[in-house]
Amino acid sequence: MDSPFVLVNLKTYQEGMGSNAHRIAAAAETVAKESGAVIGIAPAFTELHPMSHHYAIPVYAQHIDAITPGAHTGHILPEAVRSAGARGTLINHSERRLTLADIGACVESARRLHLETVVCTNNDATSAAAAALRPDYVAIEPPELIGSGVSVSKADPGIIERSVNAVRAVNPDVNVLTGAGIQSGECVKIAVDLGTCGVLLASSVVKADDPEAVLRDLVSLL
Ligand SMILES: O=C(CO)COP(=O)(O)O
């Protein structure tokens, strides 16, 4: 398999803003270089440009809107995310849910702009629906475990397995990530052994006193 993918969503945690975002990005760059893992970050929109220009790690938007340039106010234009240096974007995160029609439109816009797409889902049925839209990744994250400190790999490995099977049945070219409560190398190893290509996570890295140590542990068993 390709190098495992660890995507750190900085959300709107205070700890992921400003100089802390730089600290997390620098830690990700160091650990990615050491380990060969691909470690990306999804910072706040206002930090896409500084992150993508200062660090040699892939940077992702947390959301895009299914709009084209023109008269829209307070939206996130996919073209703007692209020109800020993003490699790709999350779509339909549990904390930023969209209709299926909007998810489809976002995937189409992103594909047109050569932005990688990570469509987040909450169960195996929505994972299958997302796979039908041909994103690059489906990221299964059970909402009740997000930010809980309880790892999906340990608390609900069945949802990972069912989602991997559901996605493969619809489109075997779509990669699967998993997330919610991921915090250690063991969590990541379980997820990869169940057929995913990596993890999407937030709090264990963003809120850590030493993000570099947590990232090093996350990739330690791969
Ligand atoms: O929502 C998530 C990543 O997008 C998961 O968040 P936690 O890692 O904090 O559970």
Side-chain angles (χ1 to χ4, degrees):
M1 105 175 223
D2 294 336
S3 303
F5 183 27
V6 174
L7 181 52
V8 184
N9 179 3
L10 275 52
K11 301 196 175 184
T12 51
Y13 284 120
Q14 194 79 44
E15 296 90 334
M17 301 290 172
S19 58
N20 277 326
H22 281 274
R23 201 165 71 103
I24 293 165
E29 189 174 76
T30 302
V31 176
K33 263 192 209 136
E34 272 172 25
S35 65
V38 178
I39 304 180
I41 59 165
F45 295 115
T46 46
E47 302 194 75
L48 281 172
H49 186 270
M51 294 298 122
S52 68
H53 284 72
H54 278 98
Y55 302 97
I57 55 170
V59 171
Y60 291 74
Q62 295 179 9
H63 165 76
I64 51 172
D65 285 304
I67 56 161
T68 50
H72 307 277
T73 300
H75 289 72
I76 301 296
L77 182 67
E79 281 82 350
V81 156
R82 172 84 244 175
S83 59
R87 159 93 58 96
T89 184
L90 301 181
I91 295 170
N92 193 48
H93 190 279
S94 262
E95 293 151 4
R96 192 65 175 86
R97 280 195 183 159
L98 300 172
T99 64
L100 187 56
D102 282 341
I103 299 169
C106 287
V107 170
E108 282 300 318
S109 305
R111 200 181 352 260
R112 185 171 40 81
L113 294 166
H114 305 289
L115 283 168
E116 275 179 20
T117 46
V118 182
V119 176
C120 302
T121 60
N122 59 318
N123 59 36
D124 35 311
T126 56
S127 297
L133 302 170
R134 294 188 296 117
D136 296 292
Y137 299 90
V138 165
I140 168 71
E141 294 197 307
E144 68 281 7
L145 296 177
I146 291 177
S148 67
V150 176
S151 161
V152 59
S153 300
K154 295 187 180 167
D156 196 359
I159 199 172
I160 304 176
E161 207 168 2
R162 289 194 303 278
S163 293
V164 167
N165 291 338
V167 168
R168 278 192 190 143
V170 173
N171 186 341
D173 293 336
V174 176
N175 294 300
V176 181
L177 298 172
T178 194
I182 298 291
Q183 54 198 278
S184 68
E186 206 186 340
C187 304
V188 178
K189 183 170 185 333
I190 292 169
V192 169
D193 287 348
L194 289 171
T196 71
C197 65
V199 293
L200 173 61
L201 79 164
S203 48
S204 67
V205 170
V206 181
K207 296 171 88 175
D209 291 336
D210 186 349
E212 189 172 310
V214 177
L215 284 166
R216 200 168 275 125
D217 179 38
L218 285 165
V219 299
S220 63
L221 300 180
L222 296 173

